[in-house]
Amino acid sequence: GVCDLTRAEMSSNGDVDTRMAEAEHASKVLGLAVRTNLGLPDRGLYVTPEHVAAVTAEIRRHAPKIVFAPYWEDRHPDHVMCSKLVEEAVFNAKLRRFMPESPAVQVE
């Protein structure tokens, strides 16, 4: 599956509805079992406790074996932040005492 962090509301390449339609089409082409969107703010991604917790909860909800994120060097600041957020969340997802209401998972 794929989890989008934002709805791309700041995008210069279309609007939210267009980007959602593109995501739906891509999901069908890729044969994804699940596609979610956390609705975090476009151009407002930061390594904050709230954002890390949202990504961590999503990882725990789906318990993937492998997690991919954008490369940490990119011209787009949100891609860089996404990489950092996912790195933090993957680490936290395996910690039993982090968000104990949500069961820890083991990811690679």
Side-chain angles (χ1 to χ4, degrees):
V2 170
C3 174
D4 299 308
L5 298 189
T6 76
R7 288 180 170 51
E9 62 271 15
M10 299 292 288
S11 178
S12 299
N13 299 316
D15 56 22
V16 172
D17 291 335
T18 301
R19 299 308 288 266
M20 287 175 59
E22 291 170 345
E24 186 177 328
H25 178 71
S27 297
K28 289 177 183 172
V29 169
L30 294 169
L32 297 180
V34 64
R35 178 127 195 192
T36 61
N37 190 308
L38 295 183
L40 298 177
D42 193 14
R43 284 303 294 126
L45 292 180
Y46 297 100
V47 180
T48 65
E50 295 79 19
H51 289 180
V52 172
V55 178
T56 301
E58 191 70 359
I59 291 169
R60 286 184 174 173
R61 186 173 8 269
H62 298 286
K65 293 181 179 164
I66 298 173
V67 175
F68 292 95
Y71 189 66
W72 54 87
E73 289 183 18
D74 192 293
R75 70 171 191 81
H76 195 308
D78 275 358
H79 299 174
V80 174
M81 281 296 118
C82 176
S83 179
K84 292 177 181 180
L85 278 168
V86 170
E87 180 181 23
E88 291 289 324
V90 165
F91 186 85
N92 288 349
K94 66 181 179 176
L95 299 175
R96 290 186 306 263
R97 293 188 177 134
F98 183 83
M99 296 172 53
E101 69 282 2
S102 172
V105 296
Q106 189 63 40
V107 293
E108 297 176 20

